[in-house]
Amino acid sequence: MTLNRTKSQTHFQRASKVIPGGVNSPARAFGAVGGEPLIIERGEGAYLHDIDGNQLIDYIGSWGPHILGHRDPEVIAAIEEALKVGTSFGAPTTLETEMAELIVEIVPSIEKVRMVNSGTEATMSAVRLARGHTGRDKIIKFAGCYHGHVDSLLVQAGSGALTLGTPSSPGIPVGCTQDTIVLEYNNLDQCRQVFAQEGEQIACIILEPVVGNMGCVIPQPGFLEGLRELCTEHGALLIFDEVMTGFRVALGGAQERFGVTPDLTTLGKIIGGGMPVGAYGGKAEVMDSISPTGPVYQAGTLSGNPVAMASGLAMLRKLKATNPYPALEEITKTLVAGLNDAAEQAGLPHSSSQVGSMFTLFFNPEEVTSYTVSAKNNTERFAKYFWGMMNRGVYLPCSQYEANFVSAVHTNEDIEKTIAAAHEVMQEIA
Ligand code: KE4
């Protein structure tokens, strides 16, 4: 069973002549699984349709934003309404205030918030703010976590950097990373040691409170709480990068789900409802250090633009009104159980992790708790699984080091089809 991908393959050759690797983000490049990316014509609910006429059940959802599925009617209507009065003014609008008020209401740690245009901008700005607010230079990140392509954070990074084998990219002067301390996720003792030695020089810890970029990796009990205590004790800021987990693992994100309150939070993906939006926020006392109220500079031409705000507001309002989270948790549990069962029956070494509607099936017999373990994933086997599922109409993230996402409009039939496909594929690749 093989998808007809003729038009995609032809178009991809054309794209590759004028776009590096034919893609505008390497995470889409199929580098780790081989072959050419599908060229997508449209998205509808839980499905993608490519230019060869194939319909696929989508478990990427644009790498997280589409928790309500593609083209949610309320989100589309809000965008269309916003377009009637303009696209961007470079001046304040009421929509930005409404968005900020809603984020402050929903996210426990946020008293003030600044809109930007991507998750990368959000994390870059949050780290600059932490350094500016504390007057300290050193930052702690964890191997395998990905916080966008910020110079100081593109060190042992996850996602596409890990997938394509460049966790620490060329082109970044040592001056940008000499103050970046990279530790092991879920290793609280190691963090304690570093703070004991140089805690007073540390501006912040930044982490994914549930990791999505070395596959889905769950914080061990006490890890997040321990980081909170260390930061409080040493006057460092705790930054939760919730670009992926925000409004995903709970309405209020991982900080609501795990009951740990960071000093700063970065947001993206879902917050824009599919439009380019990022944000960072936290305690007013910290956020007031940001220009123009404070000296730490950050700016952006299209930050808070009304079309993206309208899209994001419709998304967040609908999530708040409909509370899809319990149902998402259940349907995702059913899916993950089915995938585990398929691997078990085929005798394939595997493990899995799930938080809310994000999950990863690892071709790795160990529980994946850190980059060291995730690096042992059987990526060759994953590539065979990926194409086997694709050829059966199931569109998975093109890397073992990514999380999968279920939306509120995936049906039980979609889940059953996916599990049935997995049984066939696992038998094939065993
Ligand atoms: P963007 O700059 O791509 O909007 O956000 C960067 C970012 C920051 N923090 C976390 C936790 C993230 O997951 C991301 C981006 N995630 C990847 C997928 N794992 C985006 C996909 C891509 O790079 O094309």
Side-chain angles (χ1 to χ4, degrees), residues 209-276:
V210 174
V211 186
N213 289 294
M214 46 175 151
C216 179
V217 172
I218 299 168
Q220 300 290 294
F223 180 61
L224 298 180
E225 296 80 355
L227 298 182
R228 174 65 278 166
E229 283 165 24
L230 280 171
C231 285
T232 302
E233 183 186 343
H234 292 275
L237 299 185
L238 179 61
I239 303 176
F240 276 5
D241 177 357
E242 298 227 41
V243 166
M244 189 181 285
T245 55
F247 317 105
R248 168 62 66 178
V249 299
L251 183 63
Q255 57 196 270
E256 176 188 287
R257 190 179 179 107
F258 291 95
V260 176
T261 303
D263 299 299
L264 288 174
T265 300
T266 56
L267 299 166
K269 296 180 189 283
I270 289 172
I271 193 176
M275 298 295 284

Side-chain angles (χ1 to χ4, degrees), residues 94-144:
T94 56
L95 287 171
E96 294 158 84
T97 310
E98 290 169 37
M99 181 65 146
E101 288 169 341
L102 188 55
I103 291 168
V104 166
E105 178 194 331
I106 291 174
V107 185
S109 65
I110 295 183
E111 295 173 352
K112 281 192 176 180
V113 61
R114 168 62 60 84
M115 307 310 296
V116 293
N117 299 285
S118 70
T120 295
E121 262 197 275
T123 59
M124 172 178 68
S125 309
V127 166
R128 183 183 310 133
L129 172 57
R131 284 171 155 162
H133 184 75
T134 62
R136 302 175 181 181
D137 292 341
K138 290 189 183 298
I139 59 178
I140 290 175
K141 78 173 290 283
F142 296 94

Side-chain angles (χ1 to χ4, degrees), residues 190-423:
Q190 188 188 41
C191 218
R192 283 201 182 99
Q193 285 163 26
V194 169
F195 267 92
Q197 289 155 11
E198 46 193 317
E200 310 327 309
Q201 299 171 56
I202 295 170
C204 64
I205 296 175
I206 182 168
L207 77 154
E208 296 178 60
V210 174
V211 186
N213 289 294
M214 46 175 151
C216 179
V217 172
I218 299 168
Q220 300 290 294
F223 180 61
L224 298 180
E225 296 80 355
L227 298 182
R228 174 65 278 166
E229 283 165 24
L230 280 171
C231 285
T232 302
E233 183 186 343
H234 292 275
L237 299 185
L238 179 61
I239 303 176
F240 276 5
D241 177 357
E242 298 227 41
V243 166
M244 189 181 285
T245 55
F247 317 105
R248 168 62 66 178
V249 299
L251 183 63
Q255 57 196 270
E256 176 188 287
R257 190 179 179 107
F258 291 95
V260 176
T261 303
D263 299 299
L264 288 174
T265 300
T266 56
L267 299 166
K269 296 180 189 283
I270 289 172
I271 193 176
M275 298 295 284
V277 178
Y280 64 102
K283 293 174 183 158
E285 175 247 334
V286 178
M287 289 302 291
D288 283 345
S289 292
I290 276 287
S291 172
T293 43
V296 180
Y297 195 72
Q298 180 268 314
T301 304
L302 294 172
S303 296
N305 82 78
V307 180
M309 292 298 99
S311 176
L313 269 169
M315 168 67 88
L316 300 190
R317 283 170 175 158
K318 185 162 182 176
L319 288 171
K320 184 182 166 212
T322 60
N323 184 21
Y325 299 99
L328 274 169
E329 193 94 31
E330 286 315 304
I331 197 170
T332 307
K333 273 200 175 78
T334 302
L335 174 57
V336 174
L339 297 177
N340 277 314
D341 183 38
E344 199 67 37
Q345 289 194 26
L348 295 176
H350 68 284
S351 62
S352 65
S353 60
Q354 174 207 342
V355 179
S357 54
M358 63 189 270
F359 73 92
T360 297
L361 178 79
F362 292 101
F363 288 102
N364 186 334
E366 289 182 62
E367 183 195 2
V368 179
T369 54
S370 71
Y371 173 73
T372 309
V373 181
S374 195
K376 292 186 250 175
N377 296 331
N378 185 333
T379 52
E380 291 73 33
R381 178 164 285 159
F382 174 81
K384 292 176 186 158
Y385 168 66
F386 172 84
W387 278 111
M389 295 297 273
M390 179 76 93
N391 286 324
R392 288 168 174 78
V394 178
Y395 191 76
L396 301 177
C398 48
S399 165
Q400 173 75 108
Y401 300 108
E402 294 288 355
N404 297 255
F405 301 101
V406 180
S407 83
V409 291
H410 279 77
T411 63
N412 291 328
E413 188 189 355
D414 295 326
I415 300 308
E416 286 156 19
K417 270 184 72 175
T418 305
I419 293 170
H423 274 280

